[in-house]
Amino acid sequence: MGVHIEQVVKIVREAAVIIRNREIDLNITIKGAADYATEIDFKVQQFIEKELKNAYPKIQFMGEEKSNEEVDFNEKFWVLDPVDGTNNLVHDYKEVAISLALFDKREGVLGVVYQPYTEELYTANKGQGAYLNGNKIQVSKVKTLSKSLISFGASPYYKELAEENFEVFKEIFTRCEDFRRTGSAAMELAYVASGRVESFFEKRLKLWDYAAGILLVKEAGGKFTGYKGDELELEVCSDIVATNGKIHSELLEILH
């Protein structure tokens, strides 16, 4: 049985109602420094996992709020971040997203990023392009870092990287047009895919942070690598950089 993106989108849209329901007690769980999970995270994951297993029982499920030890990366598996931008949600800062991807033999083949407040829906199927609310999108055509808007993640769970990170931020800031930052990697990657910014980069992201975004960026004509220009290892935290492709080499020179 093939996976139908319309059915996947329907599940994601239904789950978004949980995020918009501010009457739900957040019941915040502290996982680490600046790293939280809320009752909403768990409810969204439980709902999507249940619906996907009902629709596609043979496909494995990987989610941020579970151990995932049983997942075989060489087979088909879903990757879900139920609320990308949980810290934003805690502060009622409405830059959050549901990020869902399907991988087959370590390669992303379907990606969905949905912003529940603006109702922007980003979708991608491998080889079929990337779309925003049904309209095809492409990365920007800006050719130089000096003319680029750059978004970044500050690796808030890893404060020990602050000195190293901010040296890099300063170097890039002095050479680009300006910075942008939402606090949601999924949304930032969607913005790269839609041409709103030229690049997004961050150290030590987990697969669910960028799983859908990697396909969106590639299908929109962009480039997605590690800081050294390398392919990413799915099982470990990764330093990721996504660009429109045209400024990739220039940015890597600074990051690496």
Side-chain angles (χ1 to χ4, degrees):
M1 181 180 181
V3 173
H4 302 288
I5 196 165
E6 296 82 4
Q7 185 177 25
V8 176
V9 165
K10 182 175 182 291
I11 292 170
V12 169
R13 285 186 185 276
E14 289 173 352
V17 175
I18 301 170
I19 296 177
R20 290 192 294 264
N21 183 5
R22 293 300 296 179
E23 295 180 3
I24 296 176
D25 190 341
L26 290 179
N27 289 327
I28 298 169
T29 300
I30 299 175
K31 299 193 290 185
D35 188 5
Y36 308 106
T38 70
E39 188 67 22
I40 291 176
D41 293 74
F42 291 112
K43 285 182 178 294
V44 170
Q45 179 160 306
Q46 288 167 1
F47 176 84
I48 292 178
E49 181 176 9
K50 179 182 176 183
E51 294 297 314
L52 289 175
K53 284 186 175 179
N54 286 340
Y56 308 104
K58 294 184 179 181
I59 300 179
Q60 305 170 94
F61 179 85
M62 178 181 188
E64 180 176 10
E65 309 306 336
K66 61 190 286 287
S67 69
N68 303 304
E69 294 174 355
E70 78 287 355
V71 176
D72 182 351
F73 286 79
N74 295 309
E75 300 296 335
K76 282 187 178 181
F77 62 99
W78 298 102
V79 187
L80 174 70
D81 192 334
V83 182
D84 187 66
T86 298
N87 290 7
N88 289 348
L89 183 69
V90 169
H91 291 276
D92 200 25
Y93 184 73
K94 294 181 169 62
E95 281 285 356
V96 302
I98 298 174
S99 176
L100 178 63
L102 177 62
F103 275 66
D104 187 6
K105 294 180 176 62
R106 297 178 172 270
E107 186 174 22
V109 294
L110 182 150
V112 175
V113 172
Y114 185 61
Q115 218 284 24
Y117 297 107
T118 64
E119 298 189 359
E120 287 193 329
L121 173 70
Y122 296 84
T123 57
N125 264 322
K126 184 185 174 185
Q128 298 180 33
Y131 296 82
L132 167 56
N133 292 339
N135 298 310
K136 196 166 187 178
I137 55 176
Q138 289 185 320
V139 294
S140 85
K141 297 179 180 179
V142 173
K143 296 180 179 179
T144 63
L145 183 59
S146 63
K147 298 294 184 182
S148 297
L149 278 181
I150 304 296
S151 60
F152 67 96
S155 307
Y157 310 154
Y158 307 100
K159 301 293 188 183
E160 67 274 15
L161 297 177
E163 185 173 352
E164 175 189 345
N165 271 337
F166 279 82
E167 286 181 5
V168 171
F169 298 161
K170 181 180 178 181
E171 176 70 16
I172 294 173
F173 180 72
T174 59
R175 293 172 60 175
C176 73
E177 193 168 83
D178 203 353
F179 272 163
R180 295 292 183 268
R181 172 164 157 72
T182 68
S184 166
M187 289 310 306
E188 302 281 21
L189 292 169
Y191 292 162
V192 174
S194 58
R196 294 178 182 177
V197 297
E198 277 64 52
S199 177
F200 169 72
F201 65 93
E202 184 168 6
K203 291 180 74 71
R204 296 193 187 177
L205 287 186
K206 294 179 180 175
L207 179 56
W208 47 73
D209 296 311
Y210 64 84
I214 189 171
L215 188 64
L216 284 172
V217 170
K218 288 182 176 181
E219 287 294 322
K223 194 166 184 178
F224 200 114
T225 70
Y227 274 30
K228 299 177 182 179
D230 50 326
E231 291 292 324
L232 304 179
E233 295 183 39
L234 305 184
E235 294 91 340
V236 298
C237 290
S238 297
D239 303 339
I240 69 107
V241 53
T243 73
N244 64 355
K246 298 173 177 61
I247 67 164
H248 206 83
S249 296
E250 193 175 359
L251 200 56
L252 285 183
E253 286 179 9
I254 302 172
L255 294 174
H256 184 36

